[in-house]
Amino acid sequence: MSESFEKFAIQLHPADGVAVAKEDIPAGTRLRLADGGELTAREAVLAGHKLALRDLRVGDAVLRYGQRIGQASAEIRAGDWVHSHNLEVGQIERDYAVRVVTPEAPRPSGRTFLGYPRSDGQAGTRNYIAVISTVNCSAAVTSRIAAHFDRERLADYPNVDGVVAVTHSTGCSIAPNSLSLAYLRRTLANLAHNPNVGAAVFVGLGCEVNQLDGCTPSFGAEEMERLVGPGLTIQEQGGFRQTVRAGIEAVERALPRVNAVGRQELPLARLTVALQCGGSDGWSGVTANPLVGRVADRLVAEGGAVVLGETPEIFGAEHLLLERAARREVGERLAERFRWWVEHARLHNFSIDNNPTPGNKAGGLTTIFEKSLGAAAKGGSSALMGVLDYGERALQRGLLFMDTPGNDPVSVTGQLAGGCNLILFTTGRGTVFGSSLAPCIKIASNSRLYANMEEDMDFDAGQVLGGIAWEEAEERLLDVVVAAASGKETASEAYFPREGEFAPWQPDPVL
């Protein structure tokens, strides 16, 4: 007896030679096709993995989403499981052709969220005091200062969402003219501009490469009050204990001023949202990422900004962004970043093509092109308005791209420095990433993951496979965004603080 094909698998595009298994397909399962034909699974295919719909010879292109994800590395017969044993990237030429489009004008709906207004026009979804270490040597002092301010000590300051320690593992033993130092300084300085930071205290050691004056933010006159003093230097303060004491006093001076700013109704145009994925699986590009893309388009239509990143994980899907650049120089800048990554990979003797992790592959992803085509869907369909360097401030509205590595914490760190005040983070395998600097909304690509890790997830995108309309799922996720932006605690915020996830990009060797 045959089973309905639609019950077990989904073909994402009519041109695709593979389908994605909706649930585990045992070997020998006979699937009844819409045209009256029949397909028998020649071997077991796990949920999220690919089932061949037709015979393919060695070298034949394998399509998913109607796009090439690689080529057959072995003979494939209809009904076979298609994965690393018979699918490879192959050689694909990159032409980086740029197509300029006219961006659509924003169409604000009048919908609002409850945020913290800043005098520079930004808005916070949280109101933190950040204690920022310039170097790993001051990390313990920084942590001790922030830890002093527990919920009990903040009880008299209801508008202060927390005192956050921003620590990292670098700041010294790096070349003075290196990219690593430039990225670190920009990241730390711009982080103080993030609208979720009501005040910032910088803490250094004194003898490090990354001196305090190298990462002090350049505030306008109206924003200078957000920087608490010139910063603290442990060696000048008289050691660990004296610096902790001075840091506590600095935060105490800032508390009344930060608390004086309360939540107000603000337009969704004030949201700047980081788009991220981590621990992806075969469903990420089918459910969660396209759903985030729809919400991203909604936010852009409201006049807001969304920031896509993870350059190596767009490799193979860059044409989807290059064909909708708002200006030619925007597309050319993005193409230049991809060329840089290819050369960077060559210099360090690794291949961008080897990107999918063991977890990605276990979830059904085979090649970097397959992974990238799904990841790029988070960017929706809006015109690409700008390309940002790592940690550069996102001052434009609309869809922006930030050049970051694919590593989730490193990428998010750059987006936070850019000014993102909320994170949309999709996952198919399950990740417990969170941030102490912005609410992180976790979106499960499949209902099995959501049920297994419900305490760590905020939304089940697998609902669209169960029959819920895309429009309804989009509205539900947008409601989650507005609620989180207005102060509702996300799943990862239940485990506050989250110091370990802050990781500035360091592309150069440590000396």
Side-chain angles (χ1 to χ4, degrees):
M1 179 179 175
S2 62
E3 300 277 1
S4 168
F5 176 83
E6 289 76 16
K7 174 184 175 183
F8 279 91
I10 180 173
Q11 184 182 18
L12 300 174
H13 189 278
D16 290 354
V18 296
V20 183
K22 294 170 69 174
E23 55 183 86
D24 294 349
I25 304 175
T29 303
R30 296 160 55 194
L31 302 175
R32 187 172 60 257
L33 304 177
D35 62 3
E38 191 172 271
L39 175 69
T40 300
R42 290 166 36 84
E43 51 193 322
V45 180
L46 298 177
H49 285 247
K50 295 174 289 295
L51 170 72
L53 299 178
R54 60 181 70 104
D55 294 345
L56 295 169
R57 297 169 299 179
V58 174
D60 282 353
V62 178
L63 303 186
R64 175 176 171 165
Y65 311 108
Q67 304 278 342
R68 178 172 177 151
I69 62 171
Q71 64 187 30
S73 59
E75 294 291 328
I76 296 174
R77 295 178 60 185
D80 280 351
W81 170 43
V82 179
H83 200 35
S84 303
H85 60 291
N86 55 14
L87 171 61
E88 64 183 5
V89 170
Q91 296 298 317
I92 300 180
E93 295 297 325
R94 328 303 306 166
D95 59 12
Y96 299 124
V98 176
R99 176 171 167 262
V100 178
V101 301
T102 301
E104 292 188 13
R107 305 178 305 279
S109 66
R111 190 167 184 181
T112 61
F113 73 102
L114 294 174
Y116 297 99
R118 304 299 182 196
S119 56
D120 63 353
Q122 297 187 97
T125 61
R126 298 293 182 269
N127 197 22
Y128 294 128
I129 295 176
V131 187
I132 303 173
S133 60
T134 64
V135 64
N136 177 252
C137 307
S138 63
V141 168
T142 299
S143 297
R144 190 68 60 89
I145 294 168
H148 175 81
F149 295 93
D150 55 20
R151 292 184 184 274
E152 183 178 343
R153 285 193 169 93
L154 293 177
D156 293 333
Y157 304 97
N159 291 330
V160 178
D161 292 307
V163 177
V164 178
V166 178
T167 65
H168 51 88
S169 62
T170 184
C172 202
S173 301
I174 50 179
N177 298 317
S178 64
L179 267 181
S180 291
L181 184 59
Y183 287 166
L184 177 62
R185 286 178 168 172
R186 181 191 300 147
T187 297
L188 298 180
N190 286 350
L191 188 66
H193 286 277
N194 187 291
N196 289 352
V197 177
V201 180
F202 282 81
V203 183
L205 176 62
C207 57
E208 65 271 21
V209 171
N210 187 37
Q211 292 285 302
L212 273 171
D213 58 3
C215 53
T216 301
S218 300
F219 284 117
E222 75 284 359
E223 287 290 283
M224 278 303 295
E225 75 278 1
R226 289 172 64 189
L227 187 62
V228 184
L232 302 172
T233 301
I234 295 171
Q235 291 167 354
E236 293 179 2
Q237 290 293 328
F240 192 109
R241 184 175 299 178
Q242 296 296 331
T243 310
V244 170
R245 183 178 296 114
I248 290 171
E249 291 172 355
V251 172
E252 288 174 339
R253 291 196 303 272
L255 278 169
R257 175 168 45 79
V258 175
N259 187 65
V261 180
R263 290 188 182 272
Q264 298 178 17
E265 280 200 20
L266 300 170
L268 295 187
R270 300 279 194 99
L271 291 178
T272 302
V273 178
L275 308 177
Q276 277 290 326
C277 56
S280 300
D281 72 344
W283 289 118
S284 294
V286 181
T287 60
N289 291 344
L291 182 59
V292 165
R294 295 173 73 107
V295 170
D297 286 343
R298 288 282 294 276
L299 293 172
V300 169
E302 293 283 349
V306 294
V307 183
L308 189 63
E310 301 179 292
T311 314
E313 296 191 7
I314 304 296
F315 192 84
E318 62 269 37
H319 61 285
L320 301 178
L321 295 172
L322 291 170
E323 67 186 16
R324 60 183 208 260
R327 303 184 312 281
R328 178 158 298 279
E329 54 266 32
V330 171
E332 290 173 350
R333 169 65 173 157
L334 183 61
E336 184 274 327
R337 286 290 80 199
F338 281 105
R339 293 189 183 97
W340 182 91
W341 273 99
V342 171
E343 179 63 13
H344 183 63
R346 185 191 67 79
L347 288 174
H348 292 276
N349 197 32
F350 68 89
S351 172
I352 293 176
D353 299 346
N354 293 333
N355 177 273
T357 67
N360 295 152
K361 292 181 178 180
L365 295 174
T366 309
T367 69
I368 182 57
F369 296 141
E370 180 179 17
K371 183 177 181 180
S372 295
L373 288 163
K378 299 192 302 296
S381 59
S382 302
L384 180 64
M385 301 301 294
V387 176
L388 305 171
D389 203 354
Y390 184 79
E392 183 181 351
R393 294 183 67 191
L395 301 177
Q396 292 175 276
R397 300 288 86 188
L399 171 64
L400 307 173
F401 187 90
M402 179 177 285
D403 181 31
T404 78
N407 179 273
D408 312 330
V410 178
S411 183
V412 173
T413 295
Q415 291 169 318
L416 291 171
C420 290
N421 52 14
L422 187 143
I423 305 161
L424 285 176
F425 195 120
T426 68
T427 182
R429 300 291 291 172
T431 173
V432 294
F433 175 89
S435 172
S436 287
L437 294 160
C440 181
I441 297 172
K442 286 296 191 32
I443 303 157
S445 74
N446 61 87
S447 298
R448 183 184 300 178
L449 167 63
Y450 184 83
N452 185 49
M453 296 181 65
E454 190 169 357
E455 290 184 346
D456 299 289
M457 298 293 132
D458 297 285
F459 192 85
D460 177 16
Q463 296 174 82
V464 296
L465 295 176
I468 183 177
W470 279 96
E471 293 76 12
E472 183 176 352
E474 177 186 323
E475 288 296 333
R476 289 184 184 180
L477 181 54
L478 185 60
D479 287 344
V480 172
V481 169
V482 173
S486 300
K488 183 178 179 181
E489 187 179 81
T490 61
S492 62
E493 287 181 291
Y495 306 102
F496 185 92
R498 309 291 296 251
E499 289 183 37
E501 283 88 345
F502 186 83
W505 183 14
Q506 299 289 275
D508 300 304
V510 176
L511 302 179

